[in-house]
C-alpha cells in the first residue's frame, strides 16, 4: 500500500501551565515547530479561552499542526499531520514537547490516505 | 480512565473531484458540518493549492475540524476532534461524507486526554 501522509497524535502531559495559557507564546512555539521540521507555513489561527486554555492551528503546505491546551491539567493535545517524504513530523513534535517542559508524552503515528497504486504528493501552492 | 475528547480520523474516498477542488465550497461544507453537530465556530482558515487540492481548518469551542483534499484521487483526509459530551463528532463526519458524494469512508475514533481523576471540560470563551 502507498500512503499520502503521516499523522502523529501526541498526548503531552506535565507541561508548564503558564506556557499552556499564553496564546501568543503557544502560537510562536507552534509556528517555530513547523519551521523546525522544514514545513512551509500557509495559515495560522489561534484562540484563547476563558478562564483558560488555548486552541490553534498552523496550516502548512504539507498538511497541518493543531493544539488544544488545558493549563489546569498541564495537558496539551497536539496533532502533526505531514504529507510527502520531505519533512519529518516527529521533528515538530519533539520540539513542542521540549518547549512545553513536558514531563511525559505519548504519541501514535497513523498513516493517512492509503492507496493500492503509487501516489505522488504535490506541495506547490498558488 | 476519564477522557477529555473524542477524535475521529476519517479517510473519505470516491468523492466528487470538483467539490474537492472548490475552496469556497469546501469551507462552507466544513463550517456547516460543525454547525450541524452543534459546535460553536471560532476561527476558520482555508488554503487552495495549485494545481489542485484544498487544506483547511475550523477551530470550534469544542476543538477542531480539519480537511486536506486530493481531487485527482477523489480523496479527503478529515479530522473531527470534539471535547465534552454536548456534541457528537460523528454528526459532522457523516454530514461531510454525504456532501462529498463519497463512495467509501473508513474512520477511527481515538480518545484524547486520558486522566485517572475526573476531568471537566470548559467550552466558554472570551
Amino acid at each position: 500500500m502507498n500512503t499520502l501522509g503521516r499523522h502523529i497524535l501526541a498526548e503531552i502531559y506535565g507541561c508548564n501551565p503558564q506556557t499552556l495559557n499564553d496564546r501568543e507564546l503557544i502560537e510562536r512555539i507552534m509556528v517555530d515547530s513547523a519551521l523546525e521540521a522544514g514545513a512551509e507555513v500557509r495559515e495560522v489561527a489561534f484562540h484563547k479561552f476563558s478562564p483558560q486554555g488555548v486552541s490553534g492551528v498552523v496550516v502548512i503546505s504539507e498538511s497541518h499542526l493543531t493544539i488544544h491546551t488545558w493549563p489546569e491539567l498541564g495537558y496539551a493535545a497536539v496533532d502533526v499531520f505531514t504529507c510527502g517524504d520531505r519533512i519529518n513530523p516527529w521533528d515538530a513534535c519533539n520540539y513542542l514537547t521540549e518547549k512545553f517542559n513536558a514531563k511525559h508524552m505519548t504519541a501514535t503515528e497513523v498513516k493517512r490516505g492509503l492507496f493500492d497504486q503509487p501516489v505522488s504528493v504535490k506541495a506547490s501552492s498558488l
Side-chain angles (χ1 to χ4, degrees), chain A:
Chain A
M1 293 292 272
N2 301 279
T3 59
L4 283 173
R6 304 165 66 187
H7 185 165
I8 296 172
L9 294 91
E11 310 289 300
I12 310 181
Y13 299 96
C15 302
N16 181 311
Q18 282 72 42
T19 303
L20 293 192
N21 206 31
D22 186 330
R23 195 194 66 77
E24 287 184 17
L25 180 56
I26 291 281
E27 179 172 332
R28 192 162 70 241
I29 291 173
M30 287 290 284
V31 168
D32 284 350
S33 76
L35 297 174
E36 182 78 11
E40 194 178 26
V41 174
R42 290 285 167 195
E43 310 276 347
V44 175
F46 281 78
H47 191 81
K48 173 82 165 64
F49 289 89
S50 176
Q52 52 198 346
V54 173
S55 283
V57 62
V58 181
V59 177
I60 55 178
S61 294
E62 300 81 3
S63 289
H64 73 254
L65 297 87
T66 63
I67 188 167
H68 305 283
T69 74
W70 281 259
E72 70 277 29
L73 298 170
Y75 166 74
V78 168
D79 287 67
V80 183
F81 182 174
T82 63
C83 292
D85 300 324
R86 201 179 61 79
I87 68 173
N88 183 348
W90 289 101
D91 290 343
C93 195
N94 293 334
Y95 179 90
L96 289 168
T97 306
E98 183 189 321
K99 293 295 177 189
F100 293 161
N101 299 116
K103 289 194 178 69
H104 182 60
M105 193 263 281
T106 63
T108 308
E109 182 176 328
V110 178
K111 295 191 188 310
R112 303 295 300 267
L114 303 171
F115 290 86
D116 288 330
Q117 74 273 29
V119 286
S120 65
V121 176
K122 294 173 290 299
S124 58
S125 65
L126 282 177

